[in-house]
Amino acid sequence: MNDHDAPQLVRTFAALIGESRIRAPQGRETRAASIIAEPHDAREVAEIIRKCEADAITLAPIGAGRTLAAMRPAPVAVGVSLAHMAAIIAYEPDDMTVIAEPGLTLAALNRQTAQHGQHLPADPPHPELATLGALVGAAHAGPMRHAEGTVRDLLIGVRFAGHGGRLVHGGGRVVKNVAGYDLMKVMTGSFGTLGVITETTFKVRPMAEQYAIAFAAYGDVASASAAAAQLHHAAALAHLEVASPAASHALGLRGGFTVIAGLAGSAAEVAELSARTRAMLAAGAEIMTGAEAIAARERLRDCDFADAAIVALIAVPPAELARCLEPAEVEFVAHAGCGVARISLSSGANPAEACAALARIRMAVHAAGGNLRVLHAASEMRPGLEFFDQPPRAAFALMQTLKRTFDPHGVFNPRCFVGGL
């Protein structure tokens, strides 16, 4: 069947799960899929998968559609929207675990757990749009990765519908992962290329009693990075960033390269951290508290450079980060203690210039022993643009084996992962 024969696709899947569950894509979804199917449970997801495999129809799971719309070279045939699978299945505050469906947003989950003074401390941009399925599938993370780790560290169980419509589970409430795979690690960052997540189990953590945010401006990236490194080794921070001048301005901060430090804990701990941080940062350092600090943290979290021509994520040893961020054409927010930075490049009048600048940065990142992944690119730049680095031959061979094992028919979000997998 032609992936782009939308009327036939509508008839096919309406007969499978009902006409009311099939609709045209909207907004970002138009760049991700030709039609949208809206299953209500894992059984219906499995039925969609079986039909797709039988008729060689491509599919991909969709939350808010942001990740696929930013990455796919062309739409898949069927976007499997998980919007109707958005329930909290079980929440045990005493055990600090929560089991939830993939269409639930992170913001909605945290509103529930906050009633018990707990939260899932992953903090991707715009958590009101970030579904739990996308959080896992795209391995989204934000500033709190510094103290709390990433979703890979917080996920303890996963269920998904895979090849043949089989419902597979690992971790969480089972003793052993299927076939010996650590399925939480396999599914995290797989971008829907191995199956459709139908349930997630996370460990949640206590919310801090108080939060403050400190910031100070520096004249160049090297000075700011050196100050951040000194602070990182001297204090237990909630998060630690260095922002470029344009990013600092977007965050409502003063010009220059800005060190931004999150301070969290009890009232006594925040007071002690505030005093130590102020003493170590440049003259004129400021500390925000209360609602003002929370608002500043949210602006930092949501700074995703969505309007830039190219947005990429780099990861290098922390000591190498400043050198990789020195090119003048790059704006960034860098997680200084982790060696990770989100960078943006403007196309100006010539898109080729942005692509050339990206190539130079990629070379610098590789020379530093790191990697680069493109998060978003304007549509005219996508042909020929490598979104992922090519891994070592042995690692790529393992990825190919996993893809063949989990997706022998090649229908799960094809051509949207490392090496065109």
Side-chain angles (χ1 to χ4, degrees), residues 5 33 128 149 166 261 385:
D5 185 3
E128 70 281 0
R166 287 190 292 267
L385 183 65

Side-chain angles (χ1 to χ4, degrees), residues 43-134:
R43 179 187 59 81
E44 291 185 348
V45 173
E47 289 180 3
I48 292 170
I49 290 171
R50 283 191 286 269
K51 183 61 176 175
C52 286
E53 288 191 330
D55 292 356
I57 300 170
T58 57
L59 78 151
I62 287 183
R66 295 181 298 168
T67 301
L68 281 187
M71 292 180 61
R72 279 214 57 83
V76 293
V78 182
V80 182
S81 170
L82 303 171
H84 294 288
M85 298 174 61
I88 293 178
I89 297 169
Y91 173 38
E92 300 294 340
D94 291 341
D95 293 335
M96 300 182 70
T97 60
V98 63
I99 304 171
E101 292 182 315
L104 185 70
T105 67
L106 178 61
L109 174 66
N110 279 339
R111 282 194 292 272
Q112 294 296 314
T113 58
Q115 298 175 27
H116 297 272
Q118 297 174 351
H119 68 149
L120 180 60
D123 59 342
H126 308 290
E128 70 281 0
L129 296 176
T131 63
L132 299 183

Side-chain angles (χ1 to χ4, degrees), residues 1 13 15 93 112 230 279 303 337 408 419:
M1 179 180 295
F13 289 94
Q112 294 296 314
Q230 183 181 21
C303 184

Side-chain angles (χ1 to χ4, degrees), residues 14-56:
L16 193 67
I17 63 173
E19 187 176 352
S20 64
R21 311 280 189 81
I22 308 299
R23 61 175 175 82
Q26 302 169 356
R28 298 184 190 91
E29 293 172 340
T30 60
R31 300 194 296 274
S34 297
I35 70 165
I36 303 297
E38 297 183 319
H40 281 193
D41 55 33
R43 179 187 59 81
E44 291 185 348
V45 173
E47 289 180 3
I48 292 170
I49 290 171
R50 283 191 286 269
K51 183 61 176 175
C52 286
E53 288 191 330
D55 292 356

